[in-house]
Amino acid sequence: MSDFTALGVEPVIDHPVDTPERPQHKRLILPTDPDIQADWLYEEVGGITEAASWHRSLTVHVHDNGQNFPLEPNAVLWTLASVWRGAPLDHLLYGRGVITGPEREDRGAYEELPPQFAEQALRAVDAATDWWIEHDYDLPIWAHDPTRSAFREAIAHTRRAL
């Protein structure tokens, strides 16, 4: 049983001279009350959220206008979404993201992250984060070409961690 029901995924921030610092991803407790949940997600991602599901048991929430805000590209979250989708995403994800369980249509809210997927998501986040920090030379070109072979390598590395 995991001790969290949602996972906050921070972007790896590249520094021009130094190796990127390891972001502090957060183990979160998702409010189950639909009236509170939307405000909570808004606070966690820093604005109006956009949700997408690339896995039947997981939902990724990001800022709906992160690119124009502008927020940092989130290579870690992009990698996870690409792993779950089974192919590289052709667009970027920006800013802090939150991973929850699937949407419950009957309640107008999202389910808690199932315990078996909470631990799996945490392993994947750690693997993707480690890969991006180790390969920090690729971060400056991130916004220009997410189809480069290095990005496929990040996906393969993360998939192996699952």
Side-chain angles (χ1 to χ4, degrees), residues 4 7 12 29 34-35 53 55 65 69-70 84 88-90 101 111 121 125 128-129 151 156-157 161:
F4 59 100
L7 184 61
V12 173
I29 303 298
D35 296 330
S53 295
H55 185 287
N65 196 19
F69 204 73
W84 293 328
L89 285 178
D90 60 357
E111 293 180 16
V125 164
T129 300
F151 300 100
H157 174 81

Side-chain angles (χ1 to χ4, degrees), residues 101-151:
E103 183 175 14
R104 286 202 46 184
E105 301 277 338
D106 62 325
R107 293 188 58 219
Y110 293 89
E111 293 180 16
E112 295 176 335
L113 197 54
Q116 68 273 23
F117 292 114
E119 295 303 324
Q120 183 186 67
L122 188 56
R123 280 194 313 275
V125 164
D126 286 343
T129 300
D130 291 345
W131 192 92
W132 282 105
I133 288 174
E134 184 177 319
H135 296 85
D136 62 21
Y137 62 87
D138 282 318
L139 287 173
I141 56 94
W142 166 252
H144 305 291
D145 191 2
T147 63
R148 284 182 41 134
S149 64
F151 300 100

Side-chain angles (χ1 to χ4, degrees), residues 54 78-90 152 155 159:
W54 292 287
W78 177 89
T79 303
L80 294 176
S82 296
V83 166
W84 293 328
R85 179 176 183 248
L89 285 178
D90 60 357
R152 288 191 301 276
I155 294 167
R159 188 176 288 128

